[in-house]
Amino acid sequence: NDFYKEKIDKRFKTDISIGDIIFEISSHVELHESDLWKSKYEKVFSGEKERFEFKFRSRLGQQYAAEVFLNPIFNEEGVVTEVAGISQEITYKKVAEKKLKSQAAKIQAIFDSSVTLIWSIDADYHIVSFNKVFADQHKKLLRKEVSIGTNFLDLLKGHMNSELHGILTGIFKGAFQGQQQQFEGKLKSSSGADVWLETFFNPIFG
């Protein structure tokens, strides 16, 4: 389409037309890029669909990113005769993703440097996230390893009486109904010592 012609002209300073061999449109096409496209086209001409991302530089040296979809076009005999391509520039998306990853790393560092136990669970009481203090304290006090997917209530069985365990279950249910909760309870450590904890539960809205 015209947009494709415009992008090719902008990048390679060349005009394309029906029948041109795409890999011969410009000497500016880098070898590794040609090899990438050739391998993708070969796969699609075998009948498979392809979706991939690649980075490229403009004639001025600016770096861009694009997302590409290639689909085989079959004739009446079921033979692939052409490949249809759709692409879109995702440079700004990639920049945004990089910023988000950087922010997430900072948040995780703060999360792990806290002296308090921090964790989150899903509606089935499975642990979704936790900080290092949470893991270290459970290993120290309960001699239990925690991991993503561990059932939090099962983790505490044997370390609090059944009445308190039931109260904690009710508090979690209240939090999942959107109510902030506060809980004070006594755990029995693996050594038999009593450990009192004050815990705050806050709902996370999606």
Side-chain angles (χ1 to χ4, degrees):
N1 61 6
D2 291 340
F3 185 71
Y4 179 76
K5 290 184 66 174
E6 178 186 328
K7 287 296 182 181
I8 292 293
D9 180 56
K10 184 177 180 180
R11 184 182 177 195
F12 300 114
K13 207 65 180 175
T14 188
D15 189 32
I16 61 169
S17 58
I18 301 298
D20 286 345
I21 298 176
I22 191 65
F23 302 110
E24 297 177 359
I25 60 174
S26 174
S27 59
H28 295 289
V29 178
E30 297 179 20
L31 182 60
H32 69 87
E33 189 176 319
S34 293
D35 290 341
L36 168 69
W37 280 94
K38 285 178 181 177
S39 67
K40 298 298 183 184
Y41 278 127
E42 286 174 1
K43 190 173 181 180
V44 181
F45 270 111
S46 72
E48 297 183 44
K49 295 181 179 180
E50 268 287 278
R51 179 266 173 198
F52 62 99
E53 296 176 2
F54 80 103
K55 295 179 180 179
F56 62 92
R57 291 187 180 277
S58 69
R59 289 184 297 109
L60 300 177
Q62 296 171 306
Q63 190 172 74
Y64 296 92
E67 181 180 36
V68 180
F69 298 87
L70 298 177
N71 294 285
I73 299 175
F74 299 88
N75 64 12
E76 294 179 355
E77 285 76 38
V79 177
V80 180
T81 56
E82 296 179 52
V83 170
I86 300 174
S87 69
Q88 60 180 350
E89 188 183 324
I90 55 171
T91 307
Y92 295 111
K93 176 185 173 183
K94 286 300 179 183
V95 171
E97 286 178 353
K98 187 175 181 180
K99 287 182 179 179
L100 284 174
K101 286 181 181 179
S102 177
Q103 290 172 352
K106 291 178 182 178
I107 292 172
Q108 186 64 46
I110 295 170
F111 193 62
D112 284 334
S113 64
S114 173
V115 295
T116 57
L117 283 69
I118 303 174
W119 73 99
S120 64
I121 62 169
D122 63 18
D124 295 316
Y125 312 116
H126 295 125
I127 297 173
V128 176
S129 64
F130 57 89
N131 67 353
K132 189 174 184 298
V133 178
F134 179 85
D136 290 346
Q137 287 299 312
H138 275 77
K139 188 173 182 180
K140 177 181 178 182
L141 298 176
L142 309 183
R143 291 183 183 173
K144 291 184 177 180
E145 298 281 352
V146 297
S147 60
I148 301 299
T150 299
N151 187 294
F152 181 74
L153 291 178
D154 288 348
L155 194 67
L156 299 179
K157 283 181 179 178
H159 296 281
M160 62 170 55
N161 61 51
S162 58
E163 180 184 358
L164 194 60
H165 197 273
I167 292 172
L168 181 59
T169 302
I171 286 175
F172 274 131
K173 289 180 178 178
F176 274 105
Q177 291 172 358
Q179 305 162 10
Q180 292 184 327
Q181 303 283 337
Q182 182 179 357
F183 170 77
E184 286 187 10
K186 182 174 64 176
L187 292 178
K188 187 75 70 174
S189 73
S190 57
S191 64
D194 290 337
V195 180
W196 283 89
L197 293 173
E198 180 181 30
T199 309
F200 299 89
F201 300 100
N202 293 292
I204 300 173
F205 298 93

